[in-house]
Amino acid sequence: YNENNADNALKKADELINFYLTFREKNADVSLKLVMLGGGQLPVEIPQKYKDDVIDLGFVSIEDKHNAFAACTIFCNPSYFESFSLVIMESWLAKRPVIVSEHCAVTTNFALETNGGLWYYNYDEFEGCVKYLLDNEDVCQKMGQNGFEYVMSHFTHEKIAENYLNFIT
């Protein structure tokens, strides 16, 4: 998320936090924390009973960002407007599955093409995606591995240079 309200609206940090809070209300038995990285203030007021479960790390070093990816169970990119999504690729390099908004054709296509994650259209589908991945650790690991293999086969420096040279010739 970002301190600029327009950026928050585009990245949908507010939607993710609201979906998370609704998830916790409806699934009190599930232990799940939401860790946010980036700048600015959280775009949604967190109820007191969830203050310890929504962790705002703000801007972090690159090393800490990669450690956060490695430590997470699921990475969620709720943005409606992405042209690529570097953070999804970073999540897959850490072999973590993704959950993305179906409102973004690019990220939905990445999840579909790779079988590296799931997508949702609304809260009910978001809840289903989260529950499914939490309840199916083997699927969660396989999706993370699928994403990793996709990044390694399409986006290494060597592969990009090869594709660029092929395009030019």
Side-chain angles (χ1 to χ4, degrees):
Y1 63 100
N2 189 297
E3 61 190 67
N4 179 322
N5 286 337
D7 287 345
N8 272 336
L10 293 175
K11 296 295 183 184
K12 299 309 243 179
D14 56 338
E15 180 178 273
L16 177 60
I17 293 169
N18 284 326
F19 280 9
Y20 169 79
L21 294 172
T22 302
F23 182 89
R24 289 300 311 273
E25 284 293 321
K26 292 177 71 177
N27 300 276
D29 59 321
V30 177
S31 175
L32 184 68
K33 295 191 182 287
L34 177 63
V35 178
M36 305 286 290
L37 301 178
Q41 294 182 344
L42 291 177
V44 171
E45 183 66 30
I46 308 302
Q48 187 60 41
K49 72 181 188 176
Y50 296 119
K51 291 270 187 198
D52 292 338
D53 296 332
V54 178
I55 302 164
D56 178 16
L57 297 179
F59 284 112
V60 298
S61 69
I62 291 174
E63 180 181 358
D64 286 344
K65 179 173 72 166
H66 291 293
N67 287 338
F69 282 117
C72 77
T73 303
I74 304 164
F75 174 75
C76 185
N77 182 350
S79 175
Y80 287 15
F81 304 101
E82 296 290 331
S83 60
F84 178 72
S85 190
L86 183 58
V87 292
I88 287 177
M89 302 304 142
E90 291 172 319
S91 176
W92 283 338
L93 285 174
K95 299 182 180 177
R96 297 301 183 252
V98 300
I99 297 177
V100 300
S101 172
E102 188 177 332
H103 296 282
C104 180
V106 170
T107 57
T108 301
N109 185 64
F110 275 136
L112 180 63
E113 183 178 335
T114 63
N115 197 20
L118 301 174
W119 54 95
Y120 62 89
Y121 185 77
N122 55 30
Y123 171 77
D124 290 331
E125 291 180 7
F126 171 84
E127 179 182 23
C129 290
V130 172
K131 283 178 147 182
Y132 179 77
L133 290 175
L134 292 177
D135 291 344
N136 294 281
E137 186 178 335
D138 56 330
V139 173
C140 202
Q141 289 176 357
K142 179 62 176 156
M143 285 184 167
Q145 181 65 38
N146 290 345
F148 176 80
E149 290 171 7
Y150 179 80
V151 173
M152 296 307 292
S153 66
H154 290 84
F155 299 113
T156 62
H157 291 287
E158 296 79 14
K159 190 63 176 175
I160 291 170
E162 176 187 323
N163 289 342
Y164 184 71
L165 291 173
N166 286 342
F167 174 77
I168 290 174
T169 58

